[in-house]
């Protein structure tokens, strides 16, 4: 049996978990290892979501964005150039998500509360309040979690994230599991975020 891998950006709804996934492809545009979520994707995704949410059918569902590139820059490693001349490969100038502010505002205006990304293979957690419509529409809290390296790429420790939504408490929790020394995965960090408003 041949699996049907549809890689087009799209909206997926898990009615049992009551979660909406906005699946973006940031690899379509960009030079070097940079990426961008195109205006066409944003419009298409907004149209698809609006059609699916007709008459408020998805009211109360959690909203999650999946994207390859990181919407927040990682700290610079410029000081490593002396030791490692290939560090340019991971420099933000060459790997950034272009139009990140526009992407974040789009997510905020649709009350997306969690963004999951990869690209740098360095686990991290950012909690931010993103302005909607330049601040005129208030702010949306967005949790951004970057995944680590499941294949120990670039000699990094193997790691994975565990993200849990608790509908009773109305909270997300994020746990980073890392194999630091080859003896198994251990929790490196765990954060439970306070409850939030559901649109």
């Amino acid at each position: 049996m041949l699996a049907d891998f549809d890689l087009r950006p799209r909206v997926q709804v898990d009615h049992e978990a009551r979660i909406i996934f906005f699946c973006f492809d940031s690899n379509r545009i960009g030079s070097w290892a940079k990426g961008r979520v195109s205006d066409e994707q944003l419009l298409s995704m907004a149209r698809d979501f609006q059609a699916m949410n007709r008459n408020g059918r998805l009211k109360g569902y959690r909203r999650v964005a999946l994207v390859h590139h990181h919407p927040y820059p990682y700290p610079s490693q410029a000081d490593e150039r002396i030791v490692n001349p290939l560090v340019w490969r991971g420099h933000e100038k060459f790997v950034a998500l272009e139009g990140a502010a526009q992407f974040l505002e789009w997510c905020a205006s649709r009350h997306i509360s969690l963004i999951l990304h990869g690209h740098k293979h360095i686990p991290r957690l950012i909690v931010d309040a993103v302005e909607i419509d330049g601040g005129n529409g208030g702010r949306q809290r967005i949790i951004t979690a970057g995944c680590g390296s499941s294949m120990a790429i670039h000699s990094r420790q193997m790691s994975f994230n565990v993200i849990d939504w608790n509908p009773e408490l109305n909270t997300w929790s994020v746990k980073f599991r890392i194999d630091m020394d080859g003896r198994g995965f251990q929790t490196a960090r765990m954060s439970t975020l306070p409850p939030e408003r559901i649109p």
Side-chain angles (χ1 to χ4, degrees):
M1 183 166 119
L2 184 63
D4 180 18
F5 291 106
D6 185 353
L7 300 178
R8 292 174 297 167
R10 58 186 178 172
V11 180
Q12 296 287 342
V13 179
D14 183 329
H15 293 287
E16 185 178 343
R18 296 178 59 84
I19 296 177
I20 306 161
F21 295 95
F22 294 81
C23 308
F24 293 96
D25 182 357
S26 60
N27 287 311
R28 290 182 174 189
I29 304 171
S31 55
W32 296 82
K34 290 189 286 191
R36 184 177 190 93
V37 175
S38 68
D39 292 343
E40 178 189 355
Q41 280 188 63
L42 296 174
L43 286 169
S44 172
M45 203 79 72
R47 268 195 311 267
D48 290 352
F49 173 67
Q50 190 173 9
M52 293 171 132
N53 194 32
R54 192 165 284 127
N55 300 322
R57 279 184 285 198
L58 303 178
K59 184 173 175 53
Y61 281 44
R62 302 305 323 141
R63 301 173 187 188
V64 177
L66 309 173
V67 63
H68 179 78
H69 288 78
H70 46 285
Y72 290 93
Y74 277 81
S76 173
Q77 298 172 319
D79 55 335
E80 292 183 21
R81 257 180 269 161
I82 299 165
V83 180
N84 180 4
L86 296 179
V87 79
W88 65 268
R89 291 185 307 188
H91 193 279
E92 276 301 307
K93 187 191 307 187
F94 302 108
V95 299
L97 175 66
E98 296 177 321
Q102 177 190 9
F103 174 73
L104 287 167
E105 185 174 340
W106 188 96
C107 289
S109 68
R110 277 141 190 96
H111 303 290
I112 290 172
S113 59
L114 177 66
I115 297 174
L116 304 176
H117 72 82
H119 196 47
K120 290 280 282 194
H121 305 287
I122 300 171
R124 73 164 178 180
L125 179 67
I126 292 177
V127 180
D128 194 8
V130 179
E131 289 185 346
I132 300 170
D133 191 24
N136 296 326
R139 291 175 172 267
Q140 168 69 36
R141 185 183 74 185
I142 297 181
I143 302 158
T144 303
C147 72
S149 178
S150 58
M151 300 177 65
I153 195 165
H154 302 308
S155 302
R156 294 197 177 105
Q157 295 95 355
M158 289 180 57
S159 65
F160 63 92
N161 301 350
V162 178
I163 305 199
D164 183 47
W165 164 247
N166 184 324
E168 278 108 38
L169 298 177
N170 193 22
T171 59
W172 289 108
S173 66
V174 180
K175 186 188 305 184
F176 296 123
R177 303 276 291 163
I178 300 177
D179 183 0
M180 300 294 283
D181 53 15
R183 290 188 288 177
F185 291 96
Q186 299 191 14
T187 300
R189 176 180 177 184
M190 179 165 178
S191 298
T192 300
L193 287 305
E196 62 180 292
R197 177 179 66 85
I198 301 177

